[in-house]
Amino acid sequence: MKPAANSPAPAPHAPVAHVLDAFRLDGVRALVTGASRGIGRSVAVALAQAGADVALGARSHGALTETACLVAKEGRTAVPVPGDFAEAGVAETVVDDAAAALGGLDVVVHNAGVLPSLPDGSPAMAPLQDSAQEDWDRVLSVNLNATAALCRRAHRHLVESSRASVVLMSSLAGVAGTPRMEAYAASKAAQISLARSLAAGWARAGIRVNALCPGWTRTDMTAFAASTAPLSDWLMAHVPMGRWAEPDEVARAALFLASPAASFLTGQALLLDGGASVPDGGLAGIPKPPSPFAA
Ligand SMILES: NC(=O)c1ccc[n+]([C@@H]2O[C@H](COP(=O)([O-])OP(=O)(O)OC[C@H]3O[C@@H](n4cnc5c(N)ncnc54)[C@H](OP(=O)(O)O)[C@@H]3O)[C@@H](O)[C@H]2O)c1
């Protein structure tokens, strides 16, 4: 049993023989949500390559099975724990199913998330005044309410672990704000706030909590933008490194936050954005094409 929240600080992590050992997760039991594709699939494989057994959350059974095969190829156990986070009570079930299948939980990377969308499922980049309250509710329900429910339930499992770490997949949008994606940005900002609050509240129980904030990353979620030249060119003109992030680059940062390499790192929002959060002020001389949103 772990010490209570008001106990003295837990003992520091044991030193490792080689610095790269600190990035290993041998024997760790991890839950990765949104693991059916995109960033979550890359995170699941990265954690498995580092030695973790992984429970895989999302709605699509078939795609979760494909991710499970990739994890199994790394010689680790993979357990699909399907569920729809838009439904009440599902986050709790997913956590309990994962803990039951793996014999406990040490790491949670909660990565499932959605953009505002039109009724046909295509992304809706509309200003707040032109968007529907139902869409706000749907985005906040999946991105924020399920995050709180999942963290609340995970606590009882993580508190039993000696290497507990939570990574909430937030976004640059949560730090900087994003017009035409207000619900998404607000939900991602709230995830950062939750990570910071939980980090302090759970620190004496030895549970680290951080938010990871990627910028524009090439996945299904952003295919609508990456595949449209004027929009992609416009977005990338605001990324000093001038390109999209790839899911495996985000996965490496998630592995770092989850691993003992980040043993003194908690309550932080790690930006992984190719410099997009640094305004160039025009002084870097990065050319800006005409905005596709200009009236
Ligand atoms: N791509 C980017 O540019 C970017 C940038 C910053 C942050 N992020 C964040 O990174 C995370 C992953 O994004 P991605 O780009 O990899 O997106 P993606 O390719 O669309 O994947 C989203 C994942 O979330 C799952 N998911 C969506 N709705 C769900 C629900 N109601 N219940 C359970 N699972 C659900 C999806 O699985 P199913 O459809 O099978 O349920 C899928 O596995 C998200 O939280 C996103 O906000 C992405």
Side-chain angles (χ1 to χ4, degrees):
M1 188 69 183
K2 298 282 290 292
N6 59 357
S7 299
H13 270 270
V16 289
H18 190 286
V19 67
L20 292 183
D21 295 341
F23 292 84
R24 295 225 38 102
L25 293 176
D26 295 300
V28 157
R29 302 154 298 179
L31 167 62
V32 179
T33 68
S36 59
R37 51 196 157 89
I39 292 170
R41 175 174 280 179
S42 290
V43 170
V45 172
L47 267 52
Q49 288 181 347
D53 296 324
V54 193
L56 307 162
R59 291 166 300 182
S60 315
H61 294 237
L64 283 182
T65 304
E66 287 171 27
T67 306
C69 289
L70 296 174
V71 168
K73 268 192 198 156
E74 304 299 335
R76 305 309 312 176
T77 298
V79 190
V81 284
D84 184 347
F85 288 135
E87 294 175 12
V90 166
E92 292 87 339
T93 304
V94 165
V95 168
D96 286 349
D97 288 351
L102 300 177
L105 275 183
D106 306 293
V107 162
V108 173
V109 181
H110 180 45
N111 161 84
V114 291
L115 285 180
S117 62
L118 299 170
D120 67 1
S122 59
M125 287 189 79
L128 184 71
Q129 65 273 22
D130 298 334
S131 67
Q133 183 62 36
E134 295 72 29
D135 202 34
W136 175 280
D137 293 341
R138 191 183 64 83
V139 171
L140 271 287
S141 163
V142 174
N143 290 3
L144 180 59
N145 295 355
T147 301
L150 186 130
C151 289
R152 186 183 297 113
R153 192 60 153 227
H155 177 267
R156 67 182 62 178
H157 303 290
L158 295 171
V159 81
E160 301 290 340
S161 168
S162 59
R163 40 191 176 173
S165 175
V166 177
V167 180
L168 301 183
M169 196 63 72
S170 177
S171 171
L172 168 61
V175 176
T178 306
R180 295 175 182 265
M181 293 171 60
E182 287 87 354
Y184 179 79
S187 70
K188 293 295 170 179
Q191 284 185 317
I192 295 169
S193 176
L194 183 63
R196 291 177 59 78
S197 298
L198 293 180
W202 292 0
R204 293 297 171 105
I207 305 170
R208 295 185 299 106
V209 188
N210 290 289
L212 180 53
C213 304
W216 294 100
T217 306
R218 200 189 302 275
T219 67
D220 289 355
M221 178 178 277
T222 53
F224 74 99
S227 60
T228 312
L231 180 52
S232 182
D233 291 350
W234 173 250
L235 296 175
M236 290 308 108
H238 293 80
V239 180
M241 288 183 68
R243 66 169 175 85
W244 291 77
E246 298 299 332
D248 64 331
E249 295 181 289
V250 182
R252 285 178 223 152
L255 168 61
F256 165 63
L257 291 174
S259 74
S263 55
F264 202 52
L265 205 162
T266 197
Q268 300 306 305
L270 179 61
L271 277 157
L272 182 99
D273 65 356
S277 51
V278 184
D280 71 18
L283 298 179
I286 298 170
K288 302 282 188 290
S291 168
F293 296 106

